[in-house]
Amino acid sequence: MVVGLVLLGLAVLPGRARLLALGTSDSRLVIGITRAGLRRTLKTAAEDVDGVESVRVRLRRRMIEVTVVSDAERTGAMLRRAGVAVGDRLNGLGAIYAGEVVVRLRRKGL
């Protein structure tokens, strides 16, 4: 009986959302994307920037952390372009996300 009550309690508690909401032009329609799918599409957007060798994307509660690996000499403009590419992709998807996008640099070989 105790096990049944525990299982019933677990069924009632809300779990972690499996999809992230994406808005559409129709206010009555909301679609979603998986967390892994969003990570992949943001990673692809950042990898398309010149000078970027690899990218790691982490989704946190109120932040999207994009870590760019590069061995380029001048990285300031590249980081700005990577941030703009990720932001544009989020806007293009219509992501309903109230967090910030943080782009970090990691030098290759370190």
Side-chain angles (χ1 to χ4, degrees), residues 7-58:
L7 291 175
L8 185 62
L10 289 175
V12 172
L13 294 174
R16 184 173 167 181
R18 300 288 180 215
L19 298 175
L20 298 170
L22 302 176
T24 61
S25 59
D26 184 1
S27 62
R28 296 172 294 168
L29 177 67
V30 176
I31 58 175
I33 187 172
T34 63
R35 296 173 65 83
L38 182 61
R39 273 195 309 269
R40 277 192 304 268
T41 191
L42 296 179
K43 180 179 177 180
T44 302
E47 285 176 339
D48 289 342
V49 174
D50 291 334
V52 174
E53 296 197 15
S54 67
V55 177
R56 187 177 88 185
V57 177
R58 297 175 74 187

